[in-house]
Amino acid sequence: MSIAPLQRQDGPVVVVGGGIVGLSCAWFLRQAGAAVIVLEAGERTGGGASRGNAGAICPGLVEPLAAPGMVRTALDDLRSPDAALYVHPAHMPQMAGFLLRFARSGTQAAYDRGVAALAPLAAGVTDAYDRLARAGVGRHARRDGYLMVFGSQRAATEEHARIVHRAALGVCSPPEPLLSGAQLRAHEPLLGEAAVAGFVIPDEGWIDASRLLDELTDAVRDAGVDLRTKAPVSAIHDLGDAVEADTPGGTVEGAIAVVAAGVWTRDLVAPLGVKLTMQAGKGYSFAVHPARMPERVLELADAHVMATPLGDRLRIAGTMEFDGTIDRFHPERIQAIVRRLTPLLQDVDLSDRTEEWVGPRPMTPDGLPVLGALPRHPRVVLATGHNMLGMTLGPVTGAVIAGLVCGDGPGIDLAPFAPARFRRSG
């Protein structure tokens, strides 16, 4: 769906949501010359899934979640209390349509289409972060690569071959040689005996997500954006020649609304005739303080956990919980992560935890974000559904949306990400 390019005299762009995606949209829109108002529901920005995540910036690893081979395993395990993908039994009926579409997205053909669709977004990640860095945002990001860790030689070998194939396609840097047993633990002494094989993927990056949000918040305000916190939006109205957003403080009018409200976007756009097949897949994290900090991110495949060094603390982030709520914290999910992690790490007290957190990732069944104007409401543009890739794709999404709204064009094909693709979903 195309939209008429925004003119300076048309009025402001109203961005709904102040997470990494919403703030990125605001910053890039402002750089393109638009007047911008940001409406954030919480007392501070990043109150959804943005602040407590692993901080991964991994353009070389951008792919849909439903990769061939993992869908069956995930669906077989999802009722296990310790499963990395867990659906509460009471929520299973409401998840049926989503899970069916998720399973259908796990074919090789669907996966390949998803990879191809995401590739142009991934290609713009580094440039978007570099643009922010030149403005003083996110300069603390590191690009020292990830150490992939496995509990079996076979799993490590298979994943290594897959990354070699991706590297041959130019998607990522070639992985370093496989490390086995003592080699792996000598490379990273924090690893325990259950870590039996692994390898390094160079160049992939990470950042302290909460610090990034603070810096981006300041940069947005310094650029002249009208950023309003404690301003939850209850409804969006398309007036034909303008839009309105209802908040407790009154109605906010603009020329265009960019809805970047994470999983809350689903309910906001439903009255506009769009049914988004999107669920809150809650991720959990906590911080520990190991005797020796790892030099790079550890991706612990068996535990489905990332361990990210952030100064004097190691953030442990993982799991995917669907229970029908958006922000309810369940301590047992933290305990499940700890049980999976215990054999893989040593010299760290996993019972001495701080910063326990839960955040609702906006999950789509095909693993692709939702980007573009609503079918019958071209003044309402969506920027949501980034699944587990919000930190990686947030800034480049901002650049794409700014191009779409301000007339230069998005720079990529938005058809695979169109909100209308869910029209026939149940």
Side-chain angles (χ1 to χ4, degrees):
M1 184 72 180
S2 61
I3 64 176
L6 182 73
Q7 304 298 318
R8 289 181 185 272
Q9 68 272 17
D10 287 346
V13 178
V14 179
V15 177
V16 181
I20 180 61
V21 176
L23 290 179
S24 294
C25 288
W27 192 85
F28 281 97
L29 282 163
R30 189 74 190 104
Q31 299 307 302
V36 183
I37 300 170
V38 175
L39 303 175
E40 162 57 33
E43 293 188 5
R44 68 170 181 166
T45 55
S50 292
R51 285 192 179 267
N53 60 67
I57 306 173
C58 49
L61 302 179
V62 167
E63 60 184 352
L65 179 62
M70 67 79 61
V71 172
R72 179 179 295 275
T73 300
L75 295 181
D76 286 346
D77 293 346
L78 56 80
R79 287 187 186 227
S80 168
D82 281 358
L85 171 62
Y86 176 73
V87 180
H88 192 283
H91 188 54
M92 192 69 73
Q94 289 74 35
M95 283 290 295
F98 182 95
L99 292 173
L100 178 60
R101 289 178 66 101
F102 177 71
R104 289 173 177 170
S105 298
T107 67
Q108 188 66 51
Y111 172 79
D112 289 344
R113 288 194 299 271
V115 169
L118 287 166
L121 269 179
V125 167
T126 299
D127 178 69
Y129 266 100
D130 285 348
R131 287 180 64 183
L132 290 177
R134 289 194 290 271
V137 177
R139 290 179 178 172
H140 62 283
R142 295 175 56 183
R143 292 186 60 191
D144 298 325
Y146 297 172
L147 177 60
M148 312 291 288
V149 179
F150 301 84
S152 74
Q153 186 71 40
R154 177 180 177 180
T157 300
E158 290 176 352
E159 183 64 11
H160 190 270
R162 195 177 76 86
I163 299 299
V164 167
H165 176 68
R166 288 176 64 85
L169 298 175
V171 174
C172 63
S173 297
E176 295 180 7
L178 279 163
L179 301 168
S180 300
Q183 285 182 318
L184 179 65
R185 292 187 290 275
H187 187 85
E188 180 44 71
L190 188 66
L191 295 174
E193 292 295 321
V196 302
F199 57 90
V200 171
I201 303 177
D203 301 329
E204 302 303 310
W206 72 93
I207 199 165
D208 185 327
S210 189
R211 181 177 170 187
L212 172 66
L213 264 291
D214 288 338
E215 292 174 355
L216 187 51
T217 298
D218 290 343
V220 162
R221 284 191 167 126
D222 291 345
V225 170
D226 180 0
L227 173 55
R228 308 178 191 181
T229 56
K230 295 189 286 187
V233 173
S234 57
I236 297 170
H237 308 285
D238 180 1
L239 307 181
D241 58 352
V243 294
E244 288 182 347
D246 294 340
T247 75
T251 298
V252 179
E253 185 172 324
I256 289 174
V258 174
V259 189
V263 72
W264 291 275
T265 303
R266 178 187 58 197
D267 295 334
L268 281 174
V269 302
L272 297 173
V274 174
K275 183 177 181 180
L276 296 181
T277 304
M278 189 161 61
Q279 293 276 342
K282 297 189 300 185
Y284 286 76
S285 73
F286 57 88
V288 293
H289 301 269
R292 176 188 177 278
M293 193 65 65
E295 296 181 356
R296 53 174 58 89
V297 168
L298 307 179
E299 184 155 338
L300 302 152
D302 289 24
H304 299 280
V305 163
M306 292 187 75
T308 306
L310 300 175
D312 63 349
R313 69 201 195 283
L314 185 67
R315 174 166 289 165
I316 306 296
T319 206
M320 179 76 67
E321 178 189 45
F322 297 97
D323 71 343
T325 73
I326 290 180
D327 55 8
R328 184 179 298 166
F329 180 86
H330 292 138
E332 57 268 28
R333 303 311 304 153
I334 296 285
Q335 293 297 334
I337 293 174
V338 170
R339 285 191 291 271
R340 296 197 306 269
L341 203 57
T342 296
L344 293 165
L345 298 180
Q346 61 184 1
D347 297 329
V348 56
D349 184 358
L350 294 173
S351 67
D352 184 17
R353 300 186 296 272
T354 59
E355 302 179 26
E356 292 188 346
W357 173 90
V358 62
R361 307 182 189 100
M363 304 299 295
T364 59
D366 58 7
L368 303 182
V370 184
L371 307 175
L374 296 187
R376 294 186 294 276
H377 301 280
R379 287 185 178 272
V380 180
V381 176
L382 304 194
T384 188
H386 288 75
N387 293 267
M388 299 172 70
L389 297 169
M391 196 56 55
T392 296
L393 298 180
V396 68
T397 294
V400 166
I401 295 299
L404 174 67
V405 170
C406 294
D408 293 336
I412 65 170
D413 180 11
L414 292 182
F417 312 117
R421 74 185 191 270
F422 296 119
R423 279 185 296 196
R424 290 182 296 276
S425 64

